[in-house]
Amino acid sequence: MINKENYCSVVEKTSFKKATLVAVSKTKPNEDILLLYNEGQRIFGENRVKEMVEKNTVLPKDIQWHMIGSLQRKKVKLIAPFVSLIHSVDSFNLLSEINKQAAKNNRTINCLLQFHIAQEYTKSGLSLLEAIQILNSDDFQTMDNISIVGVMGMATFTSNMIQVRNEFKQLKNYFDELKNNYFNDNDSFNVVSMGMSGDFDIALEEGSTMVRVGSLLFGSRTK
Ligand SMILES: *Cc1c(COP(=O)(O)O)cnc(C)c1O
């Protein structure tokens, strides 16, 4: 089942801000994905490699698959032939493996640097310093098969919306800092991926250009 009313509302809010909607379809069946596909949705997000590969095999070829979950290096090769954007780059070694597998497939893979903005220590992501170390490294300059197109972050799971807003502000500051210092003349560095079902309105107010919304569209995953 999908919630068409919520879908229309999210589409309206994101397109008003010229932001991109990633429909997070993890754990959801292909029938549900096709229902949203038939509404015009083409970008879907998954957080497990196996599930994304299986869905890509059987679903329409013009779907753009975004990897939003933490990604093991040894599994990059499975999605490298088709993945459209990887949101969860949180180490140099992962980026290096993505570059290698992209080269094998004769393509460039778009990536976001994932930042740790939440209070919970369990949420992964880079610090600004770690990101800068990657961007300054000699090895990074030779990675011809990846393109860093922006940043991603997840806010703390809390009902304190002031805290959530501050974390989004921080991610936007990281984006601006990297844009000014490393990507000033690079128009493709333009993605701020932040905002989920519970906080995408705030994220859009704080400069999100890409929201990742799941349960609001597809219903809760805990049932
Ligand atoms: C599951 C997930 C989402 C979507 O969460 P909802 O609350 O269902 O909208 C967004 N981003 C990431 C990284 C996720 O793992």
Side-chain angles (χ1 to χ4, degrees), residues 24 26 68 152 154 196-197 212-215 221:
V24 176
K26 62 190 185 195
I68 62 169
M152 179 271 218
M154 282 171 93
M196 316 192 346
S197 289
R212 311 174 309 270
V213 179
S215 43
R221 286 179 299 271

Side-chain angles (χ1 to χ4, degrees), residues 102-145:
K104 280 190 184 169
N105 286 278
N106 281 312
R107 61 187 298 246
T108 300
I109 296 182
N110 291 329
C111 296
L112 303 178
L113 296 176
Q114 180 174 357
F115 283 92
H116 182 92
I117 53 170
Q119 246 172 16
E120 299 116 315
Y121 68 93
T122 46
K123 285 194 174 120
S124 54
L126 300 160
S127 65
L128 185 59
L129 181 62
E130 288 169 328
I132 286 173
Q133 281 167 348
I134 292 174
L135 297 174
N136 281 339
S137 69
D138 291 338
D139 290 334
F140 175 72
Q141 314 305 324
T142 65
M143 292 184 187
D144 294 329
N145 293 80

Side-chain angles (χ1 to χ4, degrees), residues 22-26 45-47 67-70 87-88 114 152-154 157 193 195-200 211-221:
V22 180
V24 176
S25 50
K26 62 190 185 195
E46 292 284 338
N47 69 340
M67 174 49 65
I68 62 169
S70 67
H87 289 232
S88 43
Q114 180 174 357
M152 179 271 218
M154 282 171 93
F157 186 72
S193 169
M196 316 192 346
S197 289
D199 55 22
F200 79 95
V211 298
R212 311 174 309 270
V213 179
S215 43
L216 206 55
L217 314 179
F218 291 104
S220 129
R221 286 179 299 271

